Amino acid sequence: MNSTPSLAALHAPDAAPVPEIDAELHELEEVSRNLQTHTLSANTRAAYAKAWRSFEGFCHGHGLDPVPAHPETVRWYVAWMSVQHDVHGLPRFSVATIRQHLAGVADHHLQQGLLDPTGHHGVSSLVRGLAKLRATRPARKRPLLLDDLLRIIAAMEHDAYPAGVTAARDTAALWLGFAGALRRSEAAALTLESLQLHPVDGIHIHVGRSKAGQDNTGADVVVLPFGATPRTCAPCAIHRWVALLLESITDNVRLYRQAVMSRLFAYQLDTHVCGVDSAGGGAGLISSSDLASPAPLLRATYRNRKNARIHAAGITGDALGAMLDTRMTEAGMDPGEYGFHSLRSGHVTQARRNGASTDEIMRAGRWQRAETVTVYDREFNPAARNSVTRLGL
């Protein structure tokens, strides 16, 4: 197929001169290549590699050159993706996926010192047209509010062994998502040393590198405040889980079971165990020294009818999502429109209904743009700051 004459063709630049490279430069080259691998996250690199394989396959199937690719070739590729459908007749490639594929094509060219064929006006205008044609409202997970969360937690078997072990873990995870407004990937990545006990605030959590802050330079401290009651106290949930976690550091199954069962039966959800009442002589189940470890906070568990073992490996973000589905079902709730992100959006909605300002919510959830908070507000709390409530109806 011939290229369109009106579009400037792309040519590979002349080969760069090859200097005499000594041993030190060889080492520096290895360092530079290692640094290059950290410019993108592992997930992004995998997505770009998949996108490039798809583009390369399209080009080979139509007798086109993938490198250097002509903008017209890329336009045909976008058009091809736009007409692909799955077995249900739905578009196989969303607009977001198409943009990701183009980013992969662009990255492959730029890494080789070639011009980016996806930046041509003919390509970008085609994508804009497709976005307008398919314009639909994004499907957002519905928020879980405080009453919903308490209902889910109340349906768990906290006072039984071995069910109480996973109940303690899942309760801690749910409070991290709701009170801490953490994404599931952030919650899954936490370690014990990410937590810091605070006598006034409750617990400080250093989130570190996250989806929205991969360079790990922004403010990353999240606060889990003491609750007015033990059942609404996120620090209590963390204390309960970490206390059980510490008991798992033994190879003696009999001693482990006895210690864990003693922990489970020693206190219930109606008792503060976080030390919030330390002025009256109370003390938390754990101390700062118990958190001096890089081990994962939320661990995978193995449970049968008689025993529950806590693994050394951390739980995954996908497992947290599956956990919420299971717990909602057990509580008699339909999890269809919900996900772990419902806890984060629930933080926004509940806080706004209780009078929190946009700045306060942005600080808690580490959002950079007020518009993001406003989206949650409009979708799930439309009566807030709405003149309709001032019509005197």
Side-chain angles (χ1 to χ4, degrees):
M1 303 178 74
N2 296 325
S3 300
T4 303
S6 61
L7 298 178
L10 303 180
H11 298 284
D14 295 335
V18 180
E20 292 292 333
I21 298 180
D22 56 25
E24 182 181 3
L25 289 179
H26 272 296
E27 292 181 6
L28 293 177
E29 174 64 16
E30 290 299 319
V31 172
S32 69
R33 289 182 181 277
N34 180 58
L35 292 175
Q36 187 70 28
T37 63
H38 293 283
T39 58
L40 300 173
S41 69
N43 288 340
T44 300
R45 290 199 304 273
Y48 282 5
K50 180 179 179 181
W52 178 253
R53 290 194 298 270
S54 174
F55 178 70
E56 199 172 33
F58 169 81
C59 290
H60 290 163
H62 294 82
L64 301 169
D65 292 327
V67 180
H70 193 286
E72 189 73 354
T73 298
V74 180
R75 291 183 74 252
W76 289 326
Y77 179 57
V78 171
W80 175 81
M81 286 190 289
S82 72
V83 297
Q84 302 304 303
H85 294 84
D86 61 18
V87 295
H88 303 291
L90 300 174
R92 179 183 165 199
F93 298 94
S94 67
V95 175
T97 301
I98 290 175
R99 287 185 172 130
Q100 185 182 70
H101 275 237
L102 294 180
V105 173
D107 181 73
H108 191 89
H109 279 72
L110 294 174
Q111 291 293 340
Q112 299 186 49
L114 302 174
L115 296 178
D116 174 12
T118 70
H120 193 280
H121 175 73
V123 177
S124 57
S125 62
L126 195 66
V127 177
R128 285 197 303 272
L130 179 62
K132 291 181 179 179
L133 179 65
R134 291 189 183 176
T136 57
R137 295 187 65 82
R140 296 187 177 90
K141 297 296 185 182
R142 296 190 60 80
L144 286 167
L145 303 183
L146 180 58
D147 287 344
D148 300 320
L149 186 61
L150 294 178
R151 176 180 173 182
I152 295 171
I153 293 174
M156 301 182 196
E157 294 183 273
H158 298 274
D159 57 351
Y161 183 85
V165 175
T166 51
R169 182 202 63 188
D170 295 350
T171 300
L174 293 176
W175 282 116
L176 288 170
F178 183 79
L182 295 183
R183 302 173 179 88
R184 69 180 192 179
S185 59
E186 295 170 341
L190 292 179
T191 62
L192 288 173
E193 61 187 5
S194 301
L195 277 57
Q196 180 182 4
L197 303 183
H198 194 279
V200 177
D201 296 343
I203 295 179
H204 290 180
I205 300 176
H206 292 266
V207 179
R209 183 181 291 108
S210 65
K211 173 184 176 182
Q214 296 188 19
D215 56 359
N216 198 19
T217 59
D220 71 334
V221 179
V222 167
V223 177
L224 295 184
F226 293 119
T229 70
R231 285 185 176 268
T232 59
C233 186
C236 278
I238 297 296
H239 276 251
R240 293 188 188 98
W241 167 243
V242 174
L244 293 179
L245 200 59
L246 297 175
E247 299 293 355
S248 69
I249 308 175
T250 177
D251 294 328
N252 190 314
V253 177
R254 181 171 172 272
L255 291 179
Y256 164 76
R257 288 186 61 184
Q258 289 178 345
V260 170
M261 292 174 74
S262 296
R263 286 283 189 185
L264 288 175
F265 302 146
Y267 46 77
Q268 298 302 321
L269 296 187
D270 294 319
T271 302
H272 268 300
V273 294
C274 61
V276 66
D277 55 352
S278 57
L285 293 178
I286 61 174
S287 63
S288 296
S289 61
D290 294 325
L291 300 175
S293 168
L297 171 63
L298 299 177
R299 310 281 186 88
T301 61
Y302 168 77
R303 195 185 93 195
N304 56 30
R305 290 182 298 175
K306 296 182 179 181
N307 196 17
R309 295 294 294 176
I310 301 175
H311 290 239
I315 197 171
T316 66
D318 288 342
L320 287 176
M323 175 274 292
L324 180 61
D325 285 354
T326 300
R327 294 302 190 183
M328 289 188 68
T329 301
E330 291 173 351
M333 303 167 68
D334 182 2
E337 296 185 68
Y338 298 88
F340 199 84
H341 195 79
S342 297
L343 298 167
R344 184 169 164 87
S345 61
H347 177 115
V348 178
T349 307
Q350 187 71 65
R352 184 70 90 187
R353 290 187 178 186
N354 292 350
S357 68
T358 298
D359 286 344
E360 290 173 319
I361 295 174
M362 289 176 63
R363 183 180 178 87
R366 295 158 293 118
W367 281 283
Q368 301 296 319
R369 300 168 60 245
E371 291 81 359
T372 305
V373 177
T374 303
V375 166
Y376 290 114
D377 211 10
R378 280 200 312 267
E379 290 286 334
F380 305 116
N381 193 24
R385 298 178 319 287
N386 192 325
S387 62
V388 71
T389 62
R390 299 181 182 273
L391 296 178
L393 303 179

